[in-house]
């Protein structure tokens, strides 16, 4: 059975977006390599709602006691989670904004991090009470950074608030952070030979990953 792919776009740009270009390469290679259905969720152009006190109260209300208003509050979250459940591979288009993730992508994570739905919480486990409920997903991050040196050991590694946050949240998606693949274009603001090299390498790596994951 062919695998399914979920692409989540979070770039605020509809045009001239490097992460959208990488996502297009991923999708095209995925299909050409025998991959299955593709679902695309664009939180960059259509941001999800922001959680508030009423939403939190609904999350912690047992399903049989939910009011109609509470069910309506959770409808978007439920739809997003169903997309994740249906996917074998999740590709996040995640540009680095101000050294972290776009606000729309953070809002998406807030809506899909649901106790009893995407993770369980049990103090009987001691100091590690959280366990993922979803498992077996592969996570690919397609990113673009204006500067450079954000990888471990790089000169700006200490400023990288994006990659650690995505790794920390991978379990909500049913993915293993240790297996998360990150493809990043750097030097975007410099537009020099280093940027051209980084861009070409990212495009090649994106196609390679799509081909491998579609065929697995």
């Amino acid at each position: 059975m062919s695998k399914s792919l979920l692409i989540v776009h979070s770039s605020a740009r509809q045009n001239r977006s490097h992460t959208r270009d990488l996502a297009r390469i991923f999708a095209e290679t995925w299909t050409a390599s025998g991959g299955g259905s593709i679902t695309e969720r664009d939180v960059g152009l259509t941001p999800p709602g922001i959680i508030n006190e009423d939403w939190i109260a609904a999350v912690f209300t047992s399903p049989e006691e939910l009011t109609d208003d509470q069910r309506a509050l959770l409808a978007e979250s439920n739809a997003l989670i169903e997309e994740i459940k249906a996917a074998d591979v999740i590709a996040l288009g995640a540009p680095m904004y101000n050294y972290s993730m776009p606000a729309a992508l953070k809002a998406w994570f807030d809506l899909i991090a649901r106790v009893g739905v995407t993770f369980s919480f049990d103090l009987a486990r001691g100091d590690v009470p959280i366990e993922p409920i979803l498992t077996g997903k592969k996570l690919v991050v397609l990113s673009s950074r204006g500067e450079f040196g954000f990888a471990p050991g790089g000169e700006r590694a200490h400023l990288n608030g994006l990659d650690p946050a995505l790794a920390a949240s991978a379990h909500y998606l049913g993915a293993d952070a240790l297996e998360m693949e990150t493809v990043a274009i750097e030097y975007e603001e410099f537009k020099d030979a280093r940027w051209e090299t980084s861009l070409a390498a990212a495009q090649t790596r994106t196609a390679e990953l799509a081909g491998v994951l579609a065929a697995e």
Side-chain angles (χ1 to χ4, degrees):
M1 180 181 295
S2 58
K3 293 184 175 181
S4 58
L5 168 65
L6 170 63
I7 298 175
V8 180
H9 302 282
S10 65
S11 174
R13 289 180 172 180
Q14 185 171 9
N15 302 303
R16 299 184 300 108
S17 167
H18 296 306
T19 60
R20 290 180 186 277
D21 287 344
L22 291 180
R24 175 186 51 78
I25 292 171
F26 196 99
E28 290 175 353
T29 308
W30 173 272
T31 299
S33 302
S37 64
I38 300 175
T39 298
E40 297 194 50
R41 169 68 64 167
D42 199 327
V43 301
L45 300 184
T46 307
I50 304 297
I51 64 172
N52 56 25
E53 185 172 5
D54 290 340
W55 187 91
I56 294 171
V59 165
F60 286 97
T61 299
S62 59
E64 62 273 10
E65 295 178 356
L66 287 169
T67 66
D68 289 342
D69 286 344
Q70 286 178 317
R71 290 190 178 90
L73 280 174
L74 297 179
E76 182 178 28
S77 170
N78 291 336
L80 297 178
I81 290 171
E82 287 305 310
E83 290 177 347
I84 294 168
K85 287 181 176 180
D88 297 299
V89 176
I90 301 169
L92 300 181
M96 178 180 281
Y97 285 177
N98 301 312
Y99 304 105
S100 189
M101 72 174 74
L105 186 57
K106 179 61 168 65
W108 180 80
F109 272 110
D110 286 343
L111 286 179
I112 60 91
R114 291 265 302 276
V115 64
V117 182
T118 55
F119 72 95
S120 64
F121 185 92
D122 188 350
L123 288 174
R125 300 185 189 119
D127 289 342
V128 189
I130 292 177
E131 282 191 358
I133 291 176
L134 307 180
T135 59
K137 316 290 186 180
K138 296 292 186 180
L139 177 60
V140 177
V141 177
L142 306 174
S143 190
S144 177
R145 293 95 192 268
E147 297 175 283
F148 61 93
F150 293 103
E155 54 265 61
R156 291 184 177 85
H158 65 292
L159 298 176
N160 187 349
L162 173 61
D163 296 337
L166 294 176
S169 300
H171 65 281
Y172 295 128
L173 309 179
D176 185 342
L178 296 177
E179 297 178 357
M180 182 177 80
E181 295 280 359
T182 298
V183 181
I185 302 169
E186 296 192 318
Y187 302 98
E188 198 275 337
E189 293 178 358
F190 298 86
K191 291 293 194 300
D192 55 16
R194 297 172 300 175
W195 174 75
E196 293 176 355
T197 298
S198 182
L199 176 62
Q203 292 172 341
T204 298
R205 180 59 179 154
T206 296
E208 290 174 348
L209 280 173
V212 169
L213 291 173
E216 280 186 346

